[in-house]
């Protein structure tokens, strides 16, 4: 397993601070900014556990977070991975799983992007999936889930996408419409690497119990050729398969997303950048 100490754990610290931004440090322009200032003024400077103070604090927190409506999970509007550029949340949705005849809410998921680069690439015909800008998915569980079950459900969607990506690569033609044997061979190698790294992810979640409110961060930097996945607060896997990264993000922002509500929210948020 390849891991590094400055990964998901450092992100969890910065994300936590984003959720509890002190009044003196708040410089984010928000539609609710004037109301927030008024609430802070009325709340006073002394710490208190009164009911009114708790209400005020909740309203202030909402000014700096995005709430997924179905699960009520709050995601920070921004965070700063690995000390790089700040990423902005463009939307959130719910992942449901049908058990018998009932749709059960499993987790909320939010997408983060390098806002300036995302806006530029979308304006030039790019997409959330194919854009070369940094992007991340933050998953927060709303019920206890066995780690093996969590990955198997995701792998069920990822596996076919890896094979489709490999097929598209292998059948690519040159400008004269000729089959390219070297490209087909490279596609086969890339597919094998993606499947091998899937096994590494399986090992990360195998035998692990994921609890309600646990967070899983999936981060991809296409330009840097880096892809990471891990439970926030623990050590992430640092992977390199760009085909695997594309397949995982295709699950949420491709043509057939597993959470339509999340995808619609991502698209709307990206359009508003």
């Amino acid at each position: 397993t390849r891991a590094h100490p400055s990964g998901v754990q450092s992100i969890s610290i910065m994300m936590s601070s984003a959720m509890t931004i002190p009044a003196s440090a708040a410089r984010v322009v928000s539609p609710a900014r004037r109301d927030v200032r008024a609430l802070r003024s009325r709340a006073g400077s002394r710490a208190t556990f009164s009911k009114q103070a708790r209400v005020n604090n909740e309203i202030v927190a909402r000014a700096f977070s995005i709430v997924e409506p179905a699960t009520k999970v709050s995601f920070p509007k921004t965070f700063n991975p690995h000390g790089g550029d700040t990423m902005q949340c463009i939307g959130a949705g719910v992942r449901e799983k049908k058990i018998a005849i009932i749709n059960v809410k499993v987790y909320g998921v939010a997408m983060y992007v390098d806002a300036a680069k995302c806006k530029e690439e979308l304006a030039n015909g790019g997409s959330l999936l194919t854009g070369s800008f940094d992007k991340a998915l933050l998953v927060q569980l709303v019920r206890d889930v066995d780690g093996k079950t969590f990955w198997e459900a995701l792998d069920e969607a990822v596996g076919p996408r890896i094979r489709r990506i490999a097929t598209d690569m292998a059948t690519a033609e040159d400008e004269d419409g000729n089959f390219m044997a070297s490209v087909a061979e490279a596609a086969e190698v890339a597919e094998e690497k993606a499947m091998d790294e899937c096994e590494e992810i399986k090992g990360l979640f195998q035998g692990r119990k994921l609890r309600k409110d646990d967070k899983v961060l999936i981060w991809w930097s296409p330009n840097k050729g880096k892809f990471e996945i891990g439970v926030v607060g623990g050590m992430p896997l640092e992977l390199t398969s760009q085909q695997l990264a594309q397949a995982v993000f295709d699950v949420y922002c491709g043509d057939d997303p597993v959470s339509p509500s999340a995808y619609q929210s991502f698209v709307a948020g990206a359009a508003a950048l």
Side-chain angles (χ1 to χ4, degrees), residues 74-195:
S74 293
F75 293 97
K77 285 187 176 179
T78 62
F79 76 86
N80 188 320
H82 308 314
D85 294 334
T86 297
M87 300 180 77
Q88 180 175 325
C89 182
I90 56 173
V94 60
R95 172 68 167 115
E96 295 181 323
K97 187 74 174 176
K98 181 166 284 188
I99 300 177
I101 60 173
I102 301 172
N103 284 331
V104 177
K105 297 178 181 68
V106 182
Y107 57 77
V109 56
M111 186 171 186
Y112 292 80
V113 298
D114 180 322
K117 293 178 181 176
C118 176
K119 181 178 181 178
E120 179 182 354
E121 291 200 34
L122 293 183
N124 291 321
S127 72
L128 291 175
L129 177 62
T130 62
S132 62
F133 48 85
D134 288 4
K135 60 199 77 175
L137 294 163
L138 181 61
V139 170
Q140 181 166 329
L141 295 168
V142 295
R143 60 180 60 248
D144 293 351
V145 178
D146 180 78
K148 179 174 179 288
T149 302
F150 174 83
W151 170 245
E152 286 179 348
L154 185 56
D155 187 44
E156 185 179 285
V158 169
R161 286 168 165 83
I162 291 175
R163 290 187 284 274
R164 188 191 70 212
I165 292 168
T167 298
D168 290 344
M169 289 177 60
T171 55
E173 300 175 343
D174 63 20
E175 59 185 14
D176 296 321
N178 299 316
F179 174 74
M180 297 181 287
S182 61
V183 173
E185 291 173 3
E188 184 177 354
V189 171
E191 181 180 7
E192 290 176 357
K193 181 177 181 180
M195 298 306 292

Side-chain angles (χ1 to χ4, degrees), residues 34-76:
R34 285 175 296 182
D35 293 338
V36 167
R37 285 176 172 172
L39 285 166
R40 285 176 178 147
S41 177
R42 290 199 297 270
S45 58
R46 292 187 302 168
T48 175
F49 293 96
S50 70
K51 180 178 179 181
Q52 184 60 48
R54 287 198 300 272
V55 170
N56 289 341
N57 289 336
E58 288 170 3
I59 294 173
V60 169
R62 284 199 297 271
F64 300 101
S65 64
I66 290 177
V67 179
E68 196 289 306
T71 60
K72 309 303 181 187
V73 172
S74 293
F75 293 97

Side-chain angles (χ1 to χ4, degrees), residues 6 16 32 80 107 113 126 158 167 169 199 221 228 237 261 267:
S6 63
S16 297
N80 188 320
Y107 57 77
V113 298
V158 169
T167 298
M169 289 177 60
E199 287 299 307
S221 179
E228 293 180 4
L237 282 176
S261 69
V267 171

Side-chain angles (χ1 to χ4, degrees), residues 231-260:
V231 178
V232 172
M235 297 299 293
L237 282 176
E238 186 177 280
L239 307 168
T240 58
S241 171
Q242 298 304 287
Q243 288 71 27
L244 174 57
Q246 182 181 341
V248 171
F249 275 80
D250 187 274
V251 171
Y252 296 94
C253 50
D255 294 333
D256 186 24
V258 296
S259 174

